[in-house]
Amino acid sequence: MPHRTALRHTRKAAAAVLIAVAALGLTACQDGETDSSSASSASSASSASASNPQSAASTPKAGQGSASSTPSGTPKKDGMKCTDQINYAGDPRPNAEINSIGENTGYCPPVKGSASNTPSGTPKKDGMKCTDQINYAGDPRPNAEINSIGENTGYCPPVKGSATSTPSGTPKKDGMKCTDQINYAGDPRPNAEINSIGENTGYCPPVR
């Protein structure tokens, strides 16, 4: 009888130990799940932050650094004023203002003063310098400047130096070449160049 009582007590004690162990294991699992869930949430938040870095920083304003901010006009050549590069005849702005725009922006502004903004002067012929196409005798500008205007605008600028800007020389006779009309013996220019000036301007150039 005492033996059965002792055995009963032993079984109860063993059962109590098993229950305690099971309870500890359950608590540990719940704690592990909570920690794992927290770690998973933190990992998800970190991944979302890494994949969308703009969420932590302010979004740049639209239009900053866009190509549309490029000034209109013609790119300015180094060491040359806009008023020497482009013919601004008829533009109401002072030369100083036009050149200042070119210096500050790097672009010579479009010519103002006409609806079409077409430069004044004579359309430049392909492959021909303005000083060969038109007689600029009496014009105070260097040939290089005149020809540069023609290259950049496609128009040979009007002759400066007289109120009427009439080319110097002799009026060309209809149907006659300048080299047949005037004796150009000793002139270094080819006959074709001399006659071309006469055809384009209506004046046979002075003998050089």
Side-chain angles (χ1 to χ4, degrees), residues 41-56:
S41 298
S43 176
S44 298
S46 176
S47 298
S49 177
S51 64
N52 188 15
Q54 290 184 346
S55 62

Side-chain angles (χ1 to χ4, degrees), residues 30-187:
Q30 289 176 343
D31 290 344
E33 289 176 358
T34 302
D35 293 343
S36 176
S37 176
S38 299
S40 177
S41 298
S43 176
S44 298
S46 176
S47 298
S49 177
S51 64
N52 188 15
Q54 290 184 346
S55 62
S58 59
T59 303
K61 292 182 180 179
Q64 286 182 343
S66 62
S68 61
S69 61
T70 303
S72 61
T74 305
K76 179 183 173 294
K77 291 193 174 183
D78 291 338
M80 182 177 287
K81 295 179 180 179
C82 287
T83 50
D84 293 337
Q85 181 176 332
I86 296 175
N87 185 1
Y88 284 92
D91 195 301
R93 295 170 293 183
N95 284 357
E97 179 183 336
I98 295 169
N99 292 326
S100 177
I101 293 173
E103 290 295 333
N104 291 319
T105 66
Y107 285 78
C108 296
V111 179
K112 286 185 178 181
S114 65
S116 63
N117 282 338
T118 301
S120 61
T122 304
K124 179 183 172 297
K125 292 192 174 182
D126 291 338
M128 182 177 287
K129 296 179 179 179
C130 287
T131 50
D132 293 337
Q133 181 176 332
I134 296 174
N135 185 1
Y136 284 92
D139 194 303
R141 294 171 294 183
N143 283 358
E145 179 182 332
I146 294 169
N147 291 326
S148 178
I149 293 172
E151 290 295 332
N152 290 310
T153 66
Y155 284 77
C156 296
V159 179
K160 287 185 178 180
S162 67
T164 60
S165 291
T166 300
S168 60
T170 305
K172 178 182 172 297
K173 292 184 178 180
D174 291 339
M176 183 176 286
K177 295 179 179 179
C178 287
T179 51
D180 292 337
Q181 182 176 332
I182 297 174
N183 184 2
Y184 284 92
D187 195 302

